[in-house]
Amino acid sequence: MMSLTIAGTAVLNSLVADLSPELAAMLLASVIGGYTLIGGLGATFYVSYFNTALIFVLILMLVVEVFYNPFNNSENPFGSSESVFEFISCWKAPEEPMGNSGGSYLTFFSSGGLVFGIVNIVGNFGTVFCDQAYWQSSVAAKPLQGVWGFISGGLTWFAIPFTLATTMGLAYLGLSSAQGSPLLTDEDVMRGLAAPLVAQKLLGTTGEYAMLFLILMAVMSTGSAEVIAVSSIVIYDVYQAYICPFKPDLKDGQC
């Protein structure tokens, strides 16, 4: 939950001028805690449906702008996958730090990419099996619907980071190639600011609002699930087990 809030705060600071990190974190916590406190687990389900639909719409808008440029935006140097490929082909990666074969961003032979993939596979498996937020949804659902829900949800979720990260990452490399120098420092890229920068460069104010809503929707869905997960652990595993294990109106001999 803390890493999620920090990542959302960093993106909000890059999009909103003169916004302090403390205020951004408080805004995220207030929005997440507000509707979760009022609606409970049901609110997280309904809001997640709406948030996911909006996230898909925003991602499709960004993908269309990068690869098609339907409105002939003069700030967009791409407009097709061929032009994106040409720009990235001209931009060489630092071969030593990243381990890319031939210093190319388009190669699959990358030691850095291999390590990143292993770390993500191991970390994400650990998250799925150990995070209470995942178990909370499965417990609340019926077994049959829960199985198919998790399968379809996993397939649906895969499209979000894969499409968004691939599109915005390639667009960032293409824009850096068009400018002749990196648009961000390595620290800013590690903070996740490449996607907001690309949206701002290609769509201006519309892109800024698109990324703002996209980040808010993602943080709200995940944050509310984590809040419900932690509260359920406190109530069922601590309060009912040790503080108030029995109902006060039970008679003698009743369980």
Side-chain angles (χ1 to χ4, degrees):
M1 182 65 189
M2 287 302 299
S3 61
L4 181 71
T5 305
I6 293 173
T9 300
V11 176
L12 289 179
N13 285 334
S14 67
L15 293 174
V16 182
D18 302 326
L19 179 64
S20 64
E22 294 81 5
L23 180 58
M26 288 300 298
L27 288 174
L28 291 177
S30 300
V31 172
I32 295 171
Y35 77 83
T36 306
L37 178 64
I38 296 173
L41 183 61
T44 63
F45 288 154
Y46 292 117
V47 173
S48 294
Y49 294 148
F50 171 76
N51 290 352
T52 304
L54 184 58
I55 287 173
F56 270 104
V57 171
L58 296 176
I59 290 177
L60 290 175
M61 182 183 72
L62 295 172
V63 170
V64 170
E65 177 62 29
V66 171
F67 291 110
Y68 295 98
N69 192 12
F71 301 106
N72 296 321
N73 183 9
S74 60
E75 299 295 329
N76 186 355
F78 310 126
S80 66
S81 57
E82 291 80 6
S83 60
V84 175
F85 177 82
E86 292 175 359
F87 276 107
I88 299 177
S89 300
C90 299
W91 189 245
K92 294 298 181 181
E95 189 167 355
E96 291 299 328
M98 301 183 65
N100 288 17
S101 176
S104 173
Y105 280 108
L106 300 174
T107 181
F108 280 94
F109 295 96
S110 173
S111 59
L114 177 62
V115 173
F116 180 79
I118 295 175
V119 170
N120 271 269
I121 290 174
V122 175
N124 291 337
F125 265 105
T127 300
V128 171
F129 284 108
C130 299
D131 194 344
Q132 177 68 14
Y134 291 90
W135 294 102
Q136 188 69 33
S137 300
S138 62
V139 170
K142 296 179 181 179
L144 181 60
Q145 286 81 0
V147 170
W148 288 109
F150 268 71
I151 293 175
S152 59
L155 295 174
T156 303
W157 175 88
F158 178 77
I160 295 177
F162 186 80
T163 305
L164 182 64
T166 303
T167 301
M168 305 309 278
L170 294 177
Y172 170 75
L173 294 175
L175 289 174
S176 298
S177 175
Q179 180 176 281
S181 62
L183 298 174
L184 295 172
T185 62
D186 292 340
E187 291 77 11
D188 290 335
V189 173
M190 293 300 294
R191 291 170 59 195
L193 302 182
L197 177 67
V198 171
Q200 186 182 46
K201 290 286 186 180
L202 298 183
L203 293 172
T205 305
T206 303
E208 295 177 358
Y209 280 111
M211 286 303 304
L212 181 63
F213 281 111
L214 196 151
I215 295 300
L216 284 177
M217 297 300 103
V219 173
M220 284 170 59
S221 295
T222 310
S224 61
E226 295 293 341
V227 170
I228 291 293
V230 173
S231 63
S232 65
I233 292 176
V234 173
I235 294 298
Y236 293 108
D237 296 340
V238 177
Y239 180 77
Q240 286 190 352
Y242 301 102
I243 299 176
C244 186
F246 302 105
K247 295 182 179 180
D249 57 348
L250 289 179
K251 299 178 182 180
D252 294 339
Q254 290 182 342
C255 297

